[in-house]
Amino acid sequence: MWPTSSILLTTPRRWSRASENLTPDTIRLDGVEKSFGAVQALAGVDLVVAAGECLGLVGHNGAGKSTLMHVLSGNLSPSAGTIAVGGQTYERGWNAAVTQSQGVRCVFQELSLCPNLTVAENARIVHAALKGVGWKDRAARLIRDKLDEIFPGHGIDAADEIANLAIGKRQMAEIARAFTVTEGALRLVILDEPTSSLDAVTARQLLAYIRKETARGTSIILISHLLGEILSASDRIVVMKDGRKVADRLAAEFTRNSLVAAMGSEAREHRRGAVRKAAGDVLVSVQPEPDGGAPLEARRGEVIGLTGLAGHGQTRMLLRIFEGRGAEVKAASAFIAGDRQSDGVFNLWSIGRNITVRSLRALRGGGLIDLAAEARLSEVWKEKMAIRTTDTANNILTLSGGNQQKALFARALASDAAIILMDDPMRGVDIGTKQEVYAMIRAEAEKGRTFIWYTTEIEELTHCDRAYVFRNGPIVATLSALELTEEKVLEASFAEHAA
Amino acid sequence: MKAMLNKLARQPWIFSFAAALAVWLITIAHTGGQGAGAILTAALSFATFTIIVGLGQMMVITTGPGNVDLSIPATITLSGVVAMKVMDEDTGRLVIGVVAALGAASLVGVFNYALIRLLRIPPIIATLSSSFLILSTAISYGRGIRIKPPEPLAEFATARLVGIPVMSLAVLAISLMIGLVLARTLYGRSVLAVGQNSNAAWLAGLDVGRTRFVTYVLSALMAGVCGVLLSGFSRGAALNMGEEFLLASIATVVIGGTSVAGGRANVPGIWGAALFMYLLVTMLNTFGASAGVRLVLTGLMIIAVIVAAGGEEQR
Amino acid sequence: MNRRLLRQALPFLSLAIVLAATFYVQPRTMSYFGLNLMLQYAVPIALATVAQMFVITVNDLDLSIGPFVGLVSCIGATLLFENPSLGILALLSLVVLYGAVGALIHSRNLPSIVVTLGLSFVWAGIAVMILPSPGGKSPEWLKALMTFQMPVIPFPIIAAVMIGLVVQLALMHSSYGVIARGAGGNPKALSRAGWSMMNTKIAMYMLAGVFGVLSGLALLGLTTSGDAHVADRYTLYSIAGVILGGGEFIGGRVSPLGAVVGALTLALAGSFLIFLKISPDWQIGAQGAILIIVLALRALVTYGEQKR
């Protein structure tokens, strides 16, 4: 019914190491630069993606990946350099409308769906061809077929309003939408942290689909902080640092360690053996809800992990503890959001004010906030968290994402809270920052603080004294540090689905 | 010095003062310098009322997108009527009259917030609906009355100190206090934080509900103060006395550089904007413009100022 | 009971209840002429409400629609009456002006509330210049149209239903309506997909202008003479109508049929209160009370929905 990518199907699969082997189906960037004021985000990037190739792209926050992707997708126009695609070379006039017509699609970290529209209507947004009589049925069929293909058993209806879907399903809908084709060829799909809200099963389905799609000749750029994902899914890996390409080699030539080394941060294996010490008194205890499950308990000085598939009740548990609703909480708590933009950062404020907002009560003297004490507090925590800024009076948005997240940690840790609740706070944070934060969490736990830490990354559980596995709401398993292995967590998360 | 000037030029409220100054200069250029001082004195007197309600509106708008108080005009009328009726031209009942008027105004604030919070009605509709009810109450309560204010109230509202209205000095004190509240108190910071991101504010341990509650009561209270002073100033309460303050309160807030998206308040800007709007009308009157021309130019000026001041910067 | 359905049905239920109450208080209204009389002013209000809804769809608010309707009635009673082609030209340029305002708001990222606040002065000013005091004459064809006697079903009902259905079809079911609502739901996503936010906003503002013109002409057909301040209340009515009809201020969630029904409810509430013979002092207050009650009901239903 629609012009499919039949031409592409016949394109032989090939992957090129460098810039030779150009075909019309290749996208090619030459000397692309992008500056924001004095800051050069991209300092001359050459990049070639061959047809049918999956290119892994890694780098720290601030390395220029996001800027590069925004340039590629036409949201930003480069300050210098050319972009060649489909036999045409663009020096200027490269914009979202052009990328759309050239078959370049992008799945961004922030969801690009309209929450007030249905899944099918969102498909219409990206397909100018879906119009006229019967467009709704065609849109529904298009997106349903693609969802079935990528995520069998997805449980999403094309008539569902996005706002009513869980975040994982929204991401699935968005990914599927990026791969739908109506008129014109699909050349390149950019996946920016596509699995960040997906659970293990759907993430695996996606990685399998990437193989299938590249075999049809579509090019894919995959950005992920999960190096395992990058190493297994990519044909070639490009490493970026400080707005430049610092490595560009076949994936097979990389190992986890060499990849991390190329990014400029050493990979350290953190394994804590047994429980360190006898923990203190119980600070938090949550009895299971009537529908079953195990109770949760957190003692002074403990680091408690909440795990399981994404969105299975972990955040709800954190909020229950935060509100003290149906939970016995014996000390003040502070919340560190994972979704910085919607739950964490105050955009109009300085870094300093963002840090001290949780401590304002303590900073009061005679009813008024002591500005000098406030400045001292933010300075102290800027140093402690190594937030990279010249001045805490700068606006919070002058920081890179990772440093913004550090400021949110500083907000919680600078407060009087004995219990720190963390809602998957390392989402999209670079490895260097992560290591610094892990060290801080350990140090603070030694001092007697309690951390309750929801994480989607199983590796992070190695920092925990105990972990609770959630499935469909309740806690289904309690794992002590000694039992904490990836297999155990997966086993508990998937017990029901095991065939 | 140059750095200071640069910093000054970047303040969002500077536009409104510059505009006010420009309009004033044009006016006195037209009159050949005649009545320059008198115009300023009058502007200070009349702008004072707009400033009072503007400050309340500013606090409400700062608590975040969608928050606005449309019940200000009705509340002004109600408090004016209550004050006049309770005082009943008796100087001895002055204090109790003020207390009654401000009490009635506070109740309006409580009612507004109850609608917003308990019934989850969007503030714009909630305060609109409540303004209908308040206005009916005021009409029914103050039906056909024409009571003069007690002499001390009228004197206070019109008194001058070396050409400066005493009332505007009192409002200056209120403005300074609100500025201090915003910068240095938990409540003030909460207003700014809630306005930027209420979810994040809640997760940062701030009391979002209480912050908004206090803000709506504060706005109603300011409208109450305006009502009492205005009935002293114009020698009695009238049922339409609040009418012009609906648009004026919103316009001063925005022209004054407060963010409509919330989270950024601007106290000096309220002064600049209120003076500007009054001086603008004065200028057009001096030019002998017809009612239609006056309206069109007022409108174009509001648009011009907001365009010149620039919109919200993109995130 | 499906609460989601109930919430969508709420605007219609509210209308039914107000209608039933009116019939109960004043049984004579339950007739062709009674309905005709009560609902004739619902047509211009419904048109103004739809105009407001277009602007709300893209997350803006139009505080100038009331004075704009007044201006149109003035132009209709003078220019359009005396020189039809010049009148049409004037009305068309108003629509274009509306689009230009949308472009200005979008390009400079200005707060629509303030710009349209300023605009309300401009419209009122022009109207006063054209017609300093109420007067002028409605073109005959307008009068004829608005007082058209339909067999069996009163014309205002047919007109309102038609308006609602046409806009419902265009905004909720056409492929371009999706783009308009998407612009309200997630403007960034829309521009990323290659759509022009600028064009979308201009289109929505121009549509608001078109429906504002229709509203002014419909009103003129009923009042038969122009008046700059005849529709000042329409700004608030139109906003209330959109919200009563289930719309939300942000996020591109609107309902054209609901908006028309909301406007009808408001118009009817006015007649109902007159029939109730309550003290004139409380008439406006009672209107506020009706608004609050309907919205409280909606809150109740929505709350139950979330709880489940």
Side-chain angles (χ1 to χ4, degrees):
Chain A
M1 182 136 185
W2 308 277
T4 58
S5 47
S6 55
I7 307 162
L8 292 177
L9 281 170
T10 61
T11 312
R13 180 182 172 78
R14 88 188 129 237
W15 13 313
S16 68
R17 285 192 63 151
S19 51
E20 71 265 18
N21 222 350
L22 276 183
T23 71
D25 291 320
T26 317
I27 188 161
R28 179 195 175 103
L29 277 68
D30 280 307
V32 166
E33 292 178 22
K34 180 72 195 174
S35 310
F36 301 99
V39 183
Q40 192 164 37
L42 291 179
V45 174
D46 304 325
L47 189 74
V48 179
V49 189
E53 176 183 46
C54 177
L55 178 75
L57 184 64
V58 292
H60 276 191
N61 276 354
K65 297 173 294 185
S66 305
T67 311
L68 183 62
M69 291 312 107
H70 278 285
V71 166
L72 264 176
S73 59
N75 288 319
L76 290 173
S77 51
S79 318
T82 59
I83 300 170
V85 65
Q88 266 176 290
T89 304
Y90 297 86
E91 222 167 317
R92 52 192 65 238
W94 177 255
N95 57 38
V98 171
T99 54
Q100 199 67 34
S101 66
Q102 288 287 5
V104 176
R105 307 268 180 78
C106 195
V107 176
F108 288 98
Q109 240 173 308
E110 326 93 82
L111 293 167
S112 296
L113 298 171
C114 298
N116 59 328
L117 302 182
T118 66
V119 174
E121 286 173 336
N122 268 289
R124 149 70 185 153
I125 298 279
V126 295
H127 289 293
L130 287 175
K131 60 181 178 188
V133 181
W135 70 270
K136 244 182 196 176
D137 292 335
R138 278 183 281 136
R141 196 155 3 128
L142 182 70
I143 191 78
R144 200 186 313 121
D145 289 351
K146 194 49 86 175
L147 273 167
D148 289 344
E149 189 183 353
I150 306 177
F151 304 109
H154 49 79
I156 300 170
D157 187 343
D160 283 340
E161 204 175 286
I162 297 297
N164 297 334
L165 293 177
I167 183 150
K169 289 194 170 173
R170 289 186 207 181
Q171 194 156 21
M172 287 155 73
E174 182 163 11
I175 291 167
R177 186 180 70 165
F179 285 103
T180 51
V181 177
T182 45
E183 58 187 14
L186 179 62
R187 281 206 173 83
L188 172 69
V189 178
I190 302 161
L191 299 170
D192 189 357
E193 299 285 357
T195 57
S196 60
S197 301
L198 298 185
D199 57 47
V201 173
T202 40
R204 220 171 298 140
Q205 288 176 335
L206 174 65
L207 295 182
Y209 180 77
I210 288 178
R211 285 268 156 239
K212 203 165 138 193
E213 185 69 31
T214 49
R216 291 178 195 160
T218 310
S219 304
I220 286 172
I221 296 181
L222 176 66
I223 301 175
S224 175
H225 62 287
L226 301 173
L227 300 181
E229 219 167 82
I230 290 279
L231 284 164
S232 68
S234 319
D235 300 314
R236 191 160 57 92
I237 298 176
V238 164
V239 181
M240 287 190 71
K241 193 177 166 185
D242 299 331
R244 285 171 214 283
K245 211 165 74 171
V246 292
D248 182 352
R249 274 179 278 156
L250 291 181
E253 296 173 20
F254 279 108
T255 64
R256 198 193 132 83
N257 283 341
S258 68
L259 203 51
V260 172
M263 282 190 279
S265 141
E266 62 270 50
R268 274 174 280 166
E269 285 294 316
H270 284 283
R271 282 273 157 200
R272 195 167 45 205
V275 188
R276 299 150 304 160
K277 54 168 182 175
D281 47 332
V282 177
L283 284 189
V284 180
S285 80
V286 184
Q287 290 308 311
E289 285 183 59
D291 55 348
L296 177 143
E297 186 186 89
R299 292 168 175 274
R300 199 177 290 281
E302 277 187 324
V303 180
I304 302 295
L306 307 184
T307 180
L309 299 180
H312 276 238
Q314 298 95 334
T315 302
R316 210 161 61 105
M317 173 62 82
L318 289 177
L319 290 176
R320 255 176 89 182
I321 297 170
F322 182 69
E323 290 179 278
R325 177 167 40 89
E328 223 178 296
V329 185
K330 297 213 178 89
S333 64
F335 196 96
I336 302 175
D339 189 337
R340 280 191 298 281
Q341 271 321 314
S342 74
D343 303 333
V345 162
F346 296 107
N347 283 336
L348 299 174
W349 272 357
S350 67
I351 300 160
R353 278 201 175 186
N354 264 287
I355 292 175
T356 57
V357 62
R358 176 64 181 73
S359 310
L360 293 176
R361 275 185 195 85
L363 289 168
R364 278 186 304 184
L368 291 182
I369 295 163
D370 181 345
L371 295 183
E374 187 185 14
R376 275 198 302 277
L377 186 71
S378 59
E379 203 52 41
V380 165
W381 280 94
K382 178 205 139 184
E383 295 299 330
K384 275 198 192 175
M385 295 300 303
I387 297 169
R388 288 183 189 88
T389 180
T390 50
D391 190 349
T392 51
N394 289 339
N395 182 277
I396 185 81
L397 297 182
T398 59
L399 296 178
S400 68
N403 277 297
Q404 285 178 28
Q405 196 67 46
K406 281 189 193 171
L408 294 188
F409 271 95
R411 178 191 294 172
L413 297 177
S415 77
D416 56 1
I419 304 163
I420 310 291
L421 306 167
M422 303 197 285
D423 185 21
D424 202 8
M426 305 297 192
R427 244 182 267 168
V429 170
D430 62 286
I431 290 182
T433 305
K434 278 184 184 175
Q435 299 298 357
E436 291 169 33
V437 173
Y438 295 154
M440 182 60 78
I441 290 172
R442 273 195 305 279
E444 288 291 321
E446 296 288 345
K447 288 187 205 154
R449 271 198 157 129
T450 304
F451 289 82
I452 302 182
W453 183 359
Y454 164 40
T455 171
T456 46
E457 290 169 39
I458 290 177
E459 278 179 28
E460 289 184 339
L461 293 175
T462 56
H463 302 280
C464 298
D465 298 312
R466 185 168 58 255
Y468 294 97
V469 186
F470 287 71
R471 196 173 66 225
N472 290 332
I475 295 169
V476 292
T478 307
L479 302 172
S480 72
L482 290 169
E483 314 167 275
L484 248 177
T485 61
E486 188 166 351
E487 293 73 38
K488 281 261 170 62
V489 172
L490 286 174
E491 196 183 275
S493 309
F494 290 102
E496 243 178 27
H497 309 292
Chain B
M1 184 64 196
K2 202 175 168 204
M4 234 176 86
L5 272 180
N6 268 339
K7 203 178 163 197
L8 200 65
R10 262 182 289 132
Q11 298 299 320
W13 49 265
I14 203 78
F15 289 100
S16 53
F17 275 101
L21 185 68
V23 170
W24 179 65
L25 287 177
I26 295 170
T27 312
I28 58 171
H30 184 76
T31 61
Q34 253 186 347
I39 290 174
L40 270 189
T41 304
L44 273 177
S45 297
F46 284 100
T48 302
F49 302 110
T50 318
I51 292 168
I52 300 172
V53 289
L55 288 171
Q57 187 74 278
M58 174 191 79
M59 293 301 273
V60 171
I61 288 180
T62 302
T63 59
N67 283 290
V68 66
D69 187 353
L70 298 189
S71 70
I72 285 177
T75 311
I76 291 174
T77 306
L78 179 69
S79 82
V81 167
V82 169
M84 290 305 100
K85 203 151 177 190
V86 172
M87 289 176 194
D88 201 17
E89 304 190 11
D90 178 0
T91 306
R93 294 173 61 84
L94 183 80
V95 175
I96 188 172
V98 171
V99 170
L102 297 188
S106 311
L107 280 181
V108 170
V110 173
F111 182 64
N112 279 340
Y113 187 69
L115 291 181
I116 294 166
R117 183 61 190 265
L118 299 179
L119 298 184
R120 292 150 196 244
I121 301 178
I124 199 168
I125 292 289
T127 54
L128 172 69
S129 324
S130 79
S131 80
F132 289 168
L133 280 170
I134 300 159
L135 201 59
S136 273
T137 312
I139 293 171
S140 157
Y141 179 66
R143 186 150 191 72
I145 58 152
R146 190 67 200 168
I147 307 172
K148 286 205 189 87
E151 209 40 48
L153 179 63
E155 269 169 25
F156 174 77
T158 49
R160 289 191 192 156
L161 205 70
V162 276
I164 300 170
V166 170
M167 198 173 50
S168 70
L169 293 176
V171 174
L172 181 64
I174 295 179
S175 307
L176 290 174
M177 227 156 73
I178 288 193
L180 188 72
V181 162
L182 279 170
R184 299 279 302 273
T185 65
L186 180 61
Y187 162 71
R189 289 283 179 92
S190 301
V191 167
L192 298 173
V194 168
Q196 291 174 63
N197 187 336
S198 60
N199 212 18
W202 176 65
L203 289 172
L206 302 176
D207 193 331
V208 177
R210 193 168 63 199
T211 303
R212 291 214 165 117
F213 171 69
V214 172
T215 306
Y216 276 93
V217 173
L218 183 68
S219 170
L221 206 54
M222 296 297 263
V225 171
C226 178
V228 173
L229 288 178
L230 194 58
S231 43
F233 185 80
S234 48
R235 310 218 150 245
L239 291 177
N240 63 350
M241 65 195 270
E243 229 165 50
E244 59 177 305
F245 290 98
L246 176 59
L247 299 185
S249 70
I250 300 174
T252 38
V253 169
V254 185
I255 292 176
T258 291
S259 165
V260 196
R264 184 172 42 216
N266 198 319
V267 177
I270 299 289
W271 279 75
L275 288 173
F276 164 66
M277 297 222 301
Y278 178 79
L279 288 170
L280 180 65
V281 174
T282 310
M283 180 185 82
L284 295 173
N285 278 333
T286 353
F287 286 176
S290 77
V293 174
R294 228 158 46 214
L295 280 168
V296 170
L297 282 179
T298 308
L300 288 180
M301 284 288 194
I302 291 178
I303 297 173
V305 169
I306 194 70
V307 170
E312 305 298 300
E313 50 266 29
Q314 301 264 359
R315 220 189 17 76
Chain C
M1 183 74 192
N2 188 335
R3 280 176 182 273
R4 206 168 149 189
L5 260 178
L6 185 63
R7 190 185 50 179
Q8 279 162 359
L10 204 59
F12 300 90
L13 282 178
S14 314
L15 177 64
I17 290 169
V18 175
L19 197 63
T22 311
F23 288 159
Y24 178 76
V25 174
Q26 186 54 269
R28 262 182 300 172
T29 56
M30 205 169 25
S31 65
Y32 180 90
F33 290 104
L35 281 172
N36 215 349
L37 207 64
M38 275 198 307
L39 287 173
Q40 55 180 2
Y41 280 95
V43 175
I45 295 180
L47 287 164
T49 305
V50 168
Q52 182 72 259
M53 188 202 62
F54 281 119
V55 177
I56 289 181
T57 303
V58 284
N59 299 344
D60 283 347
L61 205 58
D62 183 2
L63 296 187
S64 77
I65 190 71
F68 180 76
V69 171
L71 169 61
V72 170
S73 95
C74 287
I75 292 178
T78 53
L79 266 183
L80 192 68
F81 180 75
E82 292 146 15
N83 185 341
S85 50
L86 206 62
I88 288 169
L89 192 70
L91 294 177
L92 281 180
S93 39
L94 280 185
V95 172
V96 173
L97 213 54
Y98 238 94
V101 169
L104 177 73
I105 288 174
H106 180 69
S107 67
R108 300 293 308 264
N109 202 12
L110 302 175
S112 61
I113 299 186
V114 186
V115 176
T116 55
L117 185 72
L119 208 56
S120 70
F121 287 96
V122 175
W123 301 142
I126 301 175
V128 169
M129 280 192 261
I130 295 174
L131 214 59
S133 58
K137 270 207 167 81
S138 161
E140 281 309 316
W141 56 270
L142 258 182
K143 228 188 293 178
L145 177 70
M146 290 312 292
T147 51
F148 180 62
Q149 302 277 324
M150 283 271 298
V152 191
I153 305 168
F155 172 69
I157 295 180
I158 297 287
V161 169
M162 287 300 288
I163 295 163
L165 281 180
V166 166
V167 181
Q168 179 87 11
L169 209 65
L171 197 62
M172 307 306 284
H173 296 285
S174 84
S175 58
Y176 287 99
V178 169
I179 304 302
R181 284 183 293 131
N186 188 347
K188 247 192 206 162
L190 212 72
S191 15
R192 273 180 189 160
W195 296 97
S196 157
M197 268 307 288
M198 174 66 99
N199 292 347
T200 313
K201 274 223 166 153
I202 293 176
M204 296 315 268
Y205 270 84
M206 284 179 78
L207 277 171
V210 168
F211 278 82
V213 166
L214 293 179
S215 169
L217 293 180
L219 187 58
L220 177 62
L222 293 170
T223 57
T224 68
S225 70
D227 178 356
H229 294 291
V230 65
D232 285 355
R233 281 256 152 126
Y234 276 30
T235 302
L236 297 180
Y237 279 156
S238 66
I239 298 173
V242 172
I243 302 304
L244 272 184
E248 285 169 27
F249 283 115
I250 46 169
R253 283 174 212 280
V254 291
S255 159
L257 269 180
V260 169
V261 167
L264 287 184
T265 311
L266 277 178
L268 212 56
S271 316
F272 172 60
L273 292 173
I274 292 168
F275 294 135
L276 262 189
K277 296 201 180 78
I278 55 169
S279 145
D281 292 356
W282 286 97
Q283 213 133 92
I284 182 166
Q287 212 151 9
I290 288 180
L291 250 171
I292 292 173
I293 290 167
V294 172
L295 290 171
L297 278 175
R298 181 160 115 194
L300 221 63
V301 172
T302 315
Y303 182 62
E305 187 181 351
Q306 282 165 350
K307 231 179 158 182
R308 256 159 26 111

